[in-house]
Amino acid sequence: MSAAPAYSEDKGGSAGPGEPEYGHDPASGGIFSSDYKRHDDLKEMLDTNKDSLKLEAMKRIVAMIARGKNASDLFPAVVKNVACKNIEVKKLVYVYLVRYAEEQQDLALLSISTFQRGLKDPNQLIRASALRVLSSIRVPIIVPIMMLAIKEAASDMSPYVRKTAAHAIPKLYSLDSDQKDQLIEVIEKLLADKTTLVAGSVVMAFEEVCPERIDLIHKNYRKLCNLLIDVEEWGQVVIISMLTRYARTQFLSPTQNESLLEENPEKAFYGSEEDEAKGPGSEEAATAALPARKPYVMDPDHRLLLRNTKPLLQSRSAAVVMAVAQLYFHLAPKAEVGVIAKALVRLLRSHSEVQYVVLQNVATMSIKRRGMFEPYLKSFYIRSTDPTQIKILKLEVLTNLANETNIPTVLREFQTYIRSMDKDFVAATIQAIGRCATNIGRVRDTCLNGLVQLLSNRDELVVAESVVVIKKLLQMQPAQHGEIIKHLAKLTDNIQVPMARASILWLIGEYCEHVPKIAPDVLRKMAKSFTAEEDIVKLQVINLAAKLYLTNSKQTKLLTQYVLSLAKYDQNYDIRDRARFTRQLIVPSEQGGALSRHAKKLFLAPKPAPVLESSFKDRDHFQLGSLSHLLNAKATGYQELPDWPEEAPDPSVRNVEVPEWTKCSNREKRKEKEKPFYSDSEGESGPTESADSEPESESESQSKSSSEPGTGDSSSDSDNDDDEDEEKGGGSGSEQSEEEGEKKAKKKKKVPEGHREGSSSEEGSESSSSSSESEVTSESEEEEEEEEQAEPASWRKKTPPSSKSAPVAKEISLLDLEDFTPPSAQPVSPPMVVSTSLAADLEGLTLTDSSLVPSLLSPVSSAGRQELLHRVAGEGLAVDYAFSRQPFSGDPHMVSVHIYFSNNSETPIKGLHVGTPKLPAGISIQEFPEIESLAPGESTTAVMGINFCDSTQAANFQLCTQTRQFYVSIQPPVGELMAPVFMSENEFKKEQGKLTGMNEITEKLTLPDTCRSDHTVVQKVTATANLGRVPCGTSDEYRFAGRTLTSGSLVLLTLDARPAGPAQLTVNSEKMVIGTMLVKDVIQALTQ
C-alpha cells in the first residue's frame, strides 16, 4: 500500500487540534522546513495510540530509508513501538531496527528484553525479525544472549527461523571469534537440516566460519547434491562453490588417466633396455605395478555431483549457470566438459555486465579447451552495438579459437572490424591478426600483406598499431621481407605516434644489412628532428646510430657523433646515460675498454622473435567465476582451489546409516538397478555426453525424454538438450527407469514391422525408416556398454568369447536382412545422393543400390595399409590400418577403418579393445568388438568407425590389452573424408555455378606423358580422393563429385587436360580448407 494517498489528502487542509502537521516531512516534499521541526509529525504519529497512524508513519519512514534518506534521529520514537501488539507495525519496526541498531547501540540495548520476548512470538516472521535485530546489535556484552538465541532458533519448528539463525552465525563470529567451537556445533546441526530453505544459508555460514572443516560435509554431501536443484538461486551458487572445493579434496582427478596413458608407451619403449638389464624379476614387478596405477573409475559420489548440477545449466540465473560451468571445468572429465559451452553461449544474449563476466571466463577456458567452443564460433562475432570492453573480449575468444580450419572465416571478420570507428577496438583487432599470424604459420604471409596494406590507411592510430605488429612478425623471417622494411622506412616522415616511429627505427637498425642505402638516410633525418622527438624515439635513434656505426662507419661516423653529442645534453637522464654508455662502447678510446671489442656482438646479437600470447594464459590458477579471476589478482577472502589428491580418501565417510523405520525392500532394489544405469551412462564419453559434436544424439535424447511422464515440460523448451539422466535427477528416478526399460523393449519389437513397410515404399520412406533403425541400434549398443561396465573388473576373464560378439552380430544381420542386401553391399549412405532425374528410371529395379555401389565407390585407397603400432613398441603386437571406403554399418557419417592385428610374440595376447579415447571436439569413435585372445603367430582383422567431423585432425585413442595400453592415432588423408555422388552433367554444372568465388580453387599443372590416358587419370584421382566420376561430353575434361561424410557438403573436381598447354584443376566446395588440401593432394598424385 502506498503512503502517497494518505498524506496527499490531508496536505491541503489545516491540521486539527489532535492531528499532526504533514507538510514538514521531507519525504512528502516539504524540503524548506526548518531543522528544529524535522520529522516532528512522524514522531507525533508514532506517539499516538492509533495503530493506523503508527502503521502510516512506519511506512513513510521505511520509504525514506529505501530512498536513501537518513532517518536515524527517529530511533527513540520507533524503538518504543517494538512492543506494539499490531503485527504489521511490529514487522516494520524490526525492519527499521535492523538498519539502525548498529548505529544506535545504546538505545537498542534498552529494548533487549523486548527482542527476547519477540523470540518466543507465535508468528514465525516476528521470531525471525527479532533474531535478525538482535544479531545486528554489535555490542560484545550481548554475545552470550545472541549465542543462546541462535541455538534456540536452530531448533525452531519454522525453516524460515532456522534460515535466519544460519544468517546470524557469521555476524556473531565476526563480533567474537572465540565462539567458533559453539558455532560449529550449531552449523553441524543445521547442515543436517533437510529443508531447501536452510541449505544455502548454512553452507554460507560454514564457508565464513570454518571452511577447513571438510569433515562436517561428509555425511551431508549426498543430501546437498540431491537438494541442490530445489534450493534458491543464491544458495545454489554458494553450495556449488563449496562442493567444487570439496570434490577437489575427496576425489581423484578424472584427467590423470589420460596423462598417464600418454606418458607410458614412450617410457615403456625407451626404458626397455634398462628393464632388461635389471632382470626378469624387476620387469614383472613393473608390469604388475603399471595396471595398478592406471585404471581410473569415477567415484559414484563424484558422478552424483556432476549429474545433479547438469540440469542447472538451464537456470534463468546467470550466476548459477556460471557456477555450474566452473564446476564442470574444474571437476569433469574432458569428454564431458563440452556440455557447458551451449549454456555459456546462451548467457551472451544477456546484459553487457553479464556478458563481460562470462566472456572473461570463456576466454580462459578457450585456451585449454578450444574445441569446446569451436562449434559456436559465430556466437562470438562482434556487433556494432557492443561496448568496447565486450568487443575486445570477444576478439580475444575469436583469436583463441582460430585454427587452420576456420582461419579464413576469422580473418574475414577481422577485415570488417578494422573499419570500425572505435579506435581501441581497431588497435586490438590488429594485435589479434598478429597473434593469428604467429600461431598459424600458413596464414603468416597473408596477414603480413594485409597489415602492410593498412599502412596506407588515413587513420594514424591504425598505421601505428600495424607497424608495431609488423615489427614483431618480421622478426620471425626478416630475410624474406626487405621490401616491407623499405616501405616502413618511407613512413618515418608521416607517422607521428612515438611507439610506431620507435618500432620502425628498431627494425631498420636490427636489419640494416637488408637496407644498406636507406638506413643512413633515415638516421640523417632523425638527427635533424632529434630534439623534438619523444624519449622512446630518442633511445631508438641512439641505438640506430650505434648499429650503423658498427656496420657502416664510413657513411655514419659523423652522424653518430652528432646524435651522441645531442643526447649528451638531453633533459632526460635515461637518454644522457644511454649516450654516455654507447659512446664508451662503440668509439674506441685510449684506455680501450674490454667491452668495446665485443660491441658488435652486444648490439647486433640475434634476438629471439617475440611470442604473442593471450593475456588470459595464466589466469586459470584462479577459480573460474570468482572475483579474483575477474580482476586477475587475489581478492580478500579468496580461497585457493586445492590440488587433486594423489590417492583417493576413504569414500565410506559419506555413507549415512539408514534409520530402522524405513522399509527398504523394494526401494533399495530399485536404487541398485538404477545406480549402474546412471553412473555408466553418464560416465561414458559417448554420443550422449558430447552434446556439441553429435546433434543426432541430442534430438534422440529429447524425443526419449518427451515421451516419459513428468518430463514433457522441460523437453518442450528450445534450449533443452540435456540427457534423460539429468531430468530424472530432479524427479522420481526408480519408476521412470523401469518405464524406460519397458519402452525400449517395445521399440525393439516394433522396429522390424515398421521397416518392412518402409522398404516396400518409395525412397523417402526408406531413408526415414533406416534412420529410425540406426537410432534404435545406437540405443541398444549404449545399453550393452552400460551393462558391461556395470560388471566387476574381472569380467573379461569370466565371460566366454561368444557372449560378447553374438548380440552385436545378431543386430547387424537383422538390419541387413531387412534391407534385402548382403552385408558387403549395404545401402548407400545419406551423403551419396542419387539424382532426381535418375530416380524415376531406377524406381522399379530391386537391385539398384547393389549394382550402383561397385561403380560408384572406389574401393582402392592410395594410402594402402599403414602402420599403427610397431611390433617393437607393441611388445610383439603389430597393428596396421587401412581405409576401406565401404559405408560403415554403425553410422553413415563415419569413415570405415580396417584394423589388422598380428601377434609376433610367444605368448597369447588377451582382451584387445579400445580404451578411453582422447578426441578433439566433434570427433567420435565406434569401437570394434573386443578380441578375447590372439594366439602367437595369429592375425585377425577388426572394423571400427571414426567420425572425423570433416577435418584431418588425428583421432587419438588407446589400444588396450589385459596388461598394457598403447597410445595410437589415426590421421586421415583429406580424400578419405568424402563419399562419391552420382549426378548428371547438367546437375554438376548447376551445382558448380553455386560454388564460385571463395568456394572455388583453381591451379595449373603440367601433366607428364605417362598421365595422358583416361584410365590413368581416373585411377590416380579416385585413388587420391573417394569421388565418383561424372559423365562429360568433352574428351579432354574429367569431372568427379562427392560429399563430405559428416556435413554432406558437395565437393566437385574438374580436370581440364588440354593437349596443348598446361592442364587446369578446379575444386568447388563450401569447405575451403578441404578444397585447398584436395587440390594439393591431387596435383601431387597426377605429377608423380
Side-chain angles (χ1 to χ4, degrees):
M1 174 181 171
S2 173
Y7 55 75
S8 62
E9 289 170 358
D10 298 315
K11 213 186 290 184
S14 58
E19 293 182 11
E21 179 67 47
Y22 291 107
H24 300 300
D25 177 23
S28 64
I31 56 173
F32 298 108
S33 60
S34 54
D35 283 342
Y36 67 90
K37 284 190 175 181
R38 193 174 178 215
H39 302 324
D40 277 0
D41 55 340
L42 290 172
K43 289 175 185 175
E44 286 176 25
M45 289 170 76
L46 289 169
D47 287 339
T48 61
N49 294 325
K50 292 182 180 179
D51 286 347
S52 59
L53 287 174
K54 285 182 180 179
L55 183 61
E56 187 62 41
M58 285 310 303
K59 284 179 180 176
R60 288 166 62 187
I61 292 167
V62 171
M64 284 168 60
I65 295 169
R67 285 204 292 268
K69 304 265 177 94
N70 184 15
S72 58
D73 55 334
L74 288 165
F75 195 91
V78 173
V79 81
K80 282 188 292 185
N81 289 287
V82 77
C84 179
K85 291 183 179 178
N86 187 307
I87 289 177
E88 295 301 318
V89 174
K90 191 178 274 192
K91 282 182 196 171
L92 293 175
V93 168
Y94 278 130
V95 169
Y96 177 89
L97 292 176
V98 168
R99 169 69 181 78
Y100 288 109
E102 198 168 342
E103 294 177 20
Q104 306 276 350
Q105 291 176 355
D106 295 338
L107 285 170
L109 282 172
L110 297 174
S111 305
I112 284 286
S113 59
T114 312
F115 301 145
Q116 286 179 293
R117 280 201 303 276
L119 292 169
K120 308 289 185 185
D121 196 278
N123 189 319
Q124 60 174 350
L125 297 176
I126 301 298
R127 295 201 300 276
S129 299
L131 180 59
R132 196 177 290 119
V133 175
L134 198 60
S135 60
S136 300
I137 304 171
R138 305 188 58 72
V139 181
I141 303 168
I142 65 161
V143 165
I145 298 172
M146 285 173 66
M147 190 72 237
L148 194 63
I150 289 171
K151 283 183 176 178
E152 285 182 5
S155 306
D156 198 280
M157 291 292 289
S158 165
Y160 181 70
V161 178
R162 299 200 296 273
K163 178 189 179 77
T164 310
H167 286 165
I169 290 171
K171 295 181 186 176
L172 179 55
Y173 179 70
S174 62
L175 185 63
D176 184 7
S177 56
D178 294 337
Q179 303 292 324
K180 183 173 180 178
D181 292 340
Q182 292 186 61
L183 289 174
I184 288 174
E185 289 175 15
V186 180
I187 289 172
E188 189 172 7
K189 184 177 183 180
L190 288 172
L191 277 170
D193 201 305
K194 293 182 180 178
T195 55
T196 54
L197 200 63
V198 181
S201 303
V202 70
V203 169
M204 189 68 211
F206 169 83
E207 290 280 77
E208 292 283 335
V209 177
C210 53
E212 73 285 349
R213 286 291 304 274
I214 293 290
D215 55 296
L216 297 179
I217 304 297
H218 291 325
K219 297 287 183 190
N220 302 294
Y221 171 82
R222 291 170 188 164
K223 182 196 70 185
L224 286 172
C225 287
N226 290 321
L227 287 180
L228 190 58
I229 201 155
D230 297 318
V231 177
E232 78 277 9
E233 290 163 354
W234 172 80
Q236 285 174 343
V237 173
V238 173
I239 293 171
I240 289 169
S241 178
M242 184 273 293
L243 291 178
T244 303
R245 289 191 306 103
Y246 177 86
R248 287 289 286 251
T249 60
Q250 298 301 309
F251 307 129
L252 291 177
S253 168
T255 56
Q256 67 170 3
N257 205 32
E258 295 170 11
S259 58
L260 280 170
L261 289 174
E262 284 176 24
E263 292 165 11
N264 282 330
E266 290 182 12
K267 287 182 181 174
F269 178 66
Y270 289 112
S272 57
E273 291 176 11
E274 296 172 15
D275 293 343
E276 284 169 15
K278 286 177 189 174
S282 60
E283 197 174 71
E284 286 169 15
T287 51
L290 198 61
R293 191 180 161 208
K294 280 180 189 173
Y296 169 75
V297 178
M298 183 176 281
D299 191 300
D301 289 325
H302 191 170
R303 172 59 60 200
L304 177 73
L305 175 60
L306 293 176
R307 187 175 68 243
N308 284 9
T309 50
K310 196 174 178 183
L312 295 177
L313 287 171
Q314 296 174 26
S315 172
R316 64 183 178 181
S317 167
V320 174
V321 175
M322 193 63 246
V324 177
Q326 65 85 25
L327 179 137
Y328 260 75
F329 185 78
H330 290 304
L331 301 181
K334 284 185 181 177
E336 297 177 35
V337 180
V339 297
I340 66 174
K342 189 168 188 176
L344 291 175
V345 168
R346 175 171 63 86
L347 295 183
L348 296 181
R349 302 172 196 156
S350 190
H351 307 294
S352 57
E353 295 83 2
V354 173
Q355 284 185 50
Y356 181 76
V357 175
V358 171
L359 286 167
Q360 288 262 7
N361 289 280
V362 170
T364 305
M365 291 180 192
S366 60
I367 293 170
K368 274 197 168 181
R369 309 271 168 87
R370 186 170 66 187
M372 195 163 72
F373 294 100
E374 278 178 5
Y376 304 100
L377 186 73
K378 289 185 180 177
S379 301
F380 300 102
Y381 284 178
I382 290 150
R383 299 183 180 88
S384 56
T385 53
D386 286 336
T388 304
Q389 287 305 314
I390 301 292
K391 286 178 180 174
I392 290 171
L393 282 171
K394 282 186 174 179
L395 202 60
E396 178 74 30
V397 175
L398 283 173
T399 312
N400 290 345
L401 297 183
N403 56 30
E404 292 201 355
T405 309
N406 59 30
I407 190 66
T409 317
V410 173
L411 287 179
R412 275 204 303 277
E413 276 293 304
F414 288 174
Q415 281 175 353
T416 314
Y417 301 159
I418 288 166
R419 303 190 196 104
S420 170
M421 299 300 291
D422 187 341
K423 301 305 168 199
D424 292 336
F425 172 51
V426 171
T429 303
I430 294 169
Q431 289 174 8
I433 292 171
R435 267 182 59 200
C436 288
T438 309
N439 299 337
I440 304 166
R442 192 165 62 83
V443 295
R444 191 171 297 150
D445 292 340
T446 311
C447 292
L448 203 51
N449 293 336
L451 291 169
V452 170
Q453 287 173 12
L454 288 178
L455 296 176
S456 56
N457 197 296
R458 292 179 183 177
D459 192 338
E460 194 177 348
L461 279 171
V462 174
V463 176
E465 199 63 49
S466 302
V467 168
V468 175
V469 175
I470 286 171
K471 172 211 155 191
K472 291 174 181 173
L473 293 180
L474 286 182
Q475 279 183 262
M476 295 178 183
Q477 40 190 12
Q480 301 172 18
H481 302 294
E483 289 300 318
I484 295 175
I485 298 171
K486 288 177 188 175
H487 184 61
L488 291 172
K490 293 174 188 174
L491 293 173
T492 48
D493 297 333
N494 304 324
I495 295 178
Q496 299 304 320
V497 178
M499 189 64 200
R501 289 174 75 81
S503 296
I504 293 172
L505 292 174
W506 185 90
L507 270 175
I508 293 169
E510 188 66 19
Y511 307 114
C512 51
E513 68 273 10
H514 297 299
V515 282
K517 295 180 181 178
I518 293 173
D521 197 50
V522 172
L523 180 60
R524 178 182 62 78
K525 288 182 178 179
M526 288 293 121
K528 260 188 197 178
S529 59
F530 185 84
T531 51
E533 298 287 354
E534 292 286 335
D535 292 345
I536 189 172
V537 180
K538 287 178 181 177
L539 289 170
Q540 289 305 326
V541 172
I542 295 169
N543 273 357
L544 175 62
K547 289 172 183 176
L548 289 176
Y549 182 87
L550 292 169
T551 56
N552 188 2
S553 58
K554 286 182 183 178
Q555 284 183 291
T556 56
K557 186 175 181 181
L558 292 172
L559 271 173
T560 303
Q561 288 177 355
Y562 174 65
V563 168
L564 292 174
S565 300
L566 288 173
K568 186 178 179 182
Y569 300 104
D570 197 88
Q571 290 181 349
N572 189 314
Y573 57 82
D574 280 338
I575 293 165
R576 295 199 299 273
D577 287 350
R578 178 71 66 87
R580 195 179 298 115
F581 163 73
T582 306
R583 185 187 293 275
Q584 292 298 323
L585 198 58
I586 64 171
V587 181
S589 58
E590 292 177 4
Q591 290 87 6
L595 279 175
S596 61
R597 292 196 296 273
H598 304 290
K600 212 166 207 178
K601 288 181 182 177
L602 289 170
F603 276 100
L604 297 169
K607 298 169 182 68
V611 179
L612 302 175
E613 289 183 338
S614 168
S615 57
F616 288 82
K617 188 180 180 187
D618 299 322
R619 232 184 241 206
D620 60 343
H621 63 275
F622 291 116
Q623 186 173 349
L624 293 183
S626 63
L627 179 64
S628 301
H629 176 268
L630 193 72
L631 302 174
N632 200 20
K634 194 171 180 179
T636 310
Y638 173 72
Q639 293 176 22
E640 295 280 353
L641 198 63
D643 293 326
W644 293 101
E646 291 293 324
E647 293 182 7
D650 182 15
S652 63
V653 292
R654 289 183 290 279
N655 293 342
V656 182
E657 291 179 11
V658 181
E660 293 176 6
W661 50 268
T662 55
K663 295 180 181 179
C664 54
S665 57
N666 290 329
R667 291 179 66 184
E668 275 195 359
K669 284 177 187 174
R670 284 180 186 172
K671 283 183 183 177
E672 282 169 12
K673 286 180 187 174
E674 192 177 46
K675 275 182 186 174
F677 173 76
Y678 279 131
S679 59
D680 294 335
S681 63
E682 290 284 338
E684 286 174 359
S685 57
T688 52
E689 285 297 331
S690 54
D692 305 333
S693 59
E694 298 210 11
E696 286 184 6
S697 63
E698 289 178 12
S699 59
E700 189 177 311
S701 64
Q702 280 181 1
S703 63
K704 286 184 212 165
S705 61
S706 62
S707 67
E708 289 177 21
T711 59
D713 296 334
S714 59
S715 64
S716 64
D717 184 10
S718 60
D719 282 339
N720 176 24
D721 53 31
D722 292 323
D723 298 358
E724 319 160 75
D725 301 349
E726 305 156 14
E727 293 163 0
K728 288 176 188 168
S732 61
S734 57
E735 286 103 7
Q736 286 182 355
S737 66
E738 287 179 2
E739 289 170 17
E740 168 89 16
E742 289 169 14
K743 287 185 180 179
K744 282 190 179 177
K746 287 177 186 174
K747 271 188 184 178
K748 286 182 184 177
K749 289 175 186 174
K750 288 179 184 176
V751 164
E753 295 171 14
H755 189 75
R756 285 184 196 116
E757 290 169 14
S759 61
S760 61
S761 63
E762 294 180 354
E763 289 179 30
S765 59
E766 280 183 24
S767 61
S768 63
S769 60
S770 61
S771 65
S772 66
E773 265 185 305
S774 64
E775 286 178 14
V776 173
T777 51
S778 64
E779 285 173 17
S780 59
E781 283 167 13
E782 284 171 23
E783 285 175 3
E784 285 167 13
E785 287 172 12
E786 288 160 9
E787 288 167 11
E788 289 159 16
Q789 287 191 0
E791 291 175 10
S794 59
W795 62 275
R796 292 191 189 95
K797 295 178 184 176
K798 295 178 183 177
T799 312
S802 59
S803 64
K804 278 264 304 179
S805 55
V808 178
K810 190 176 179 183
E811 284 185 12
I812 292 171
S813 63
L814 278 172
L815 287 171
D816 294 338
L817 283 168
E818 286 167 7
D819 283 334
F820 300 108
T821 53
S824 59
Q826 288 175 359
V828 181
S829 58
M832 298 158 65
V833 177
V834 178
S835 66
T836 52
S837 62
L838 290 170
D841 300 334
L842 303 178
E843 200 171 10
L845 299 177
T846 53
L847 298 173
T848 305
D849 288 341
S850 58
S851 62
L852 269 175
V853 167
S855 62
L856 207 56
L857 286 174
S858 161
V860 183
S861 170
S862 62
R865 273 174 69 159
Q866 298 179 54
E867 186 176 80
L868 187 63
L869 182 67
H870 192 269
R871 58 190 175 82
V872 177
E875 298 180 359
L877 175 65
V879 186
D880 293 342
Y881 70 94
F883 298 98
S884 67
R885 293 196 175 178
Q886 296 293 334
F888 184 66
S889 58
D891 184 350
H893 298 296
M894 288 188 166
V895 178
S896 181
V897 184
H898 282 220
I899 313 290
Y900 303 94
F901 300 94
S902 60
N903 184 0
N904 299 311
S905 67
E906 295 176 357
T907 55
I909 296 171
K910 295 185 178 180
L912 261 172
H913 65 284
V914 174
T916 309
K918 184 185 179 186
L919 304 169
I923 295 181
S924 57
I925 283 181
Q926 182 73 46
E927 299 94 344
F928 56 84
E930 181 179 340
I931 299 166
E932 292 294 332
S933 181
L934 191 64
E938 265 192 17
S939 298
T940 188
T941 307
V943 181
M944 66 187 294
I946 305 177
N947 184 348
F948 287 102
C949 202
D950 291 351
S951 76
T952 55
Q953 293 184 72
N956 302 319
F957 57 95
Q958 289 86 36
L959 277 178
C960 306
T961 65
Q962 281 190 355
T963 55
R964 295 305 309 271
Q965 286 154 323
F966 305 103
Y967 190 79
V968 294
S969 67
I970 295 177
Q971 185 166 17
V974 70
E976 302 301 328
L977 301 176
M978 50 199 76
V981 175
F982 188 78
M983 58 171 63
S984 66
E985 187 175 7
N986 290 336
E987 285 176 326
F988 184 93
K989 287 178 180 177
K990 184 180 175 183
E991 294 294 340
Q992 194 175 32
K994 295 176 187 175
L995 298 169
T996 53
M998 296 193 73
N999 295 322
E1000 185 173 88
I1001 301 104
T1002 304
E1003 289 288 340
K1004 292 190 177 178
L1005 68 153
T1006 306
L1007 290 174
D1009 295 334
T1010 55
C1011 190
R1012 287 287 178 181
S1013 67
D1014 285 8
H1015 178 71
T1016 311
V1017 170
V1018 172
Q1019 188 181 21
K1020 288 197 173 186
V1021 172
T1022 52
T1024 306
N1026 191 12
L1027 300 172
R1029 190 174 179 186
V1030 176
C1032 185
T1034 55
S1035 59
D1036 296 328
E1037 195 169 316
Y1038 304 92
R1039 290 179 182 152
F1040 303 88
R1043 283 190 188 273
T1044 57
L1045 283 169
T1046 303
S1047 63
S1049 303
L1050 267 177
V1051 180
L1052 307 177
L1053 186 145
T1054 310
L1055 178 65
D1056 189 357
R1058 303 161 193 167
Q1064 183 169 298
L1065 179 68
T1066 306
V1067 172
N1068 302 77
S1069 177
E1070 294 169 33
K1071 303 273 184 182
M1072 288 184 285
V1073 175
I1074 284 184
T1076 309
M1077 296 168 77
L1078 185 60
V1079 165
K1080 187 179 173 184
D1081 288 0
V1082 172
I1083 289 176
Q1084 188 178 353
L1086 291 172
T1087 53
Q1088 276 180 351

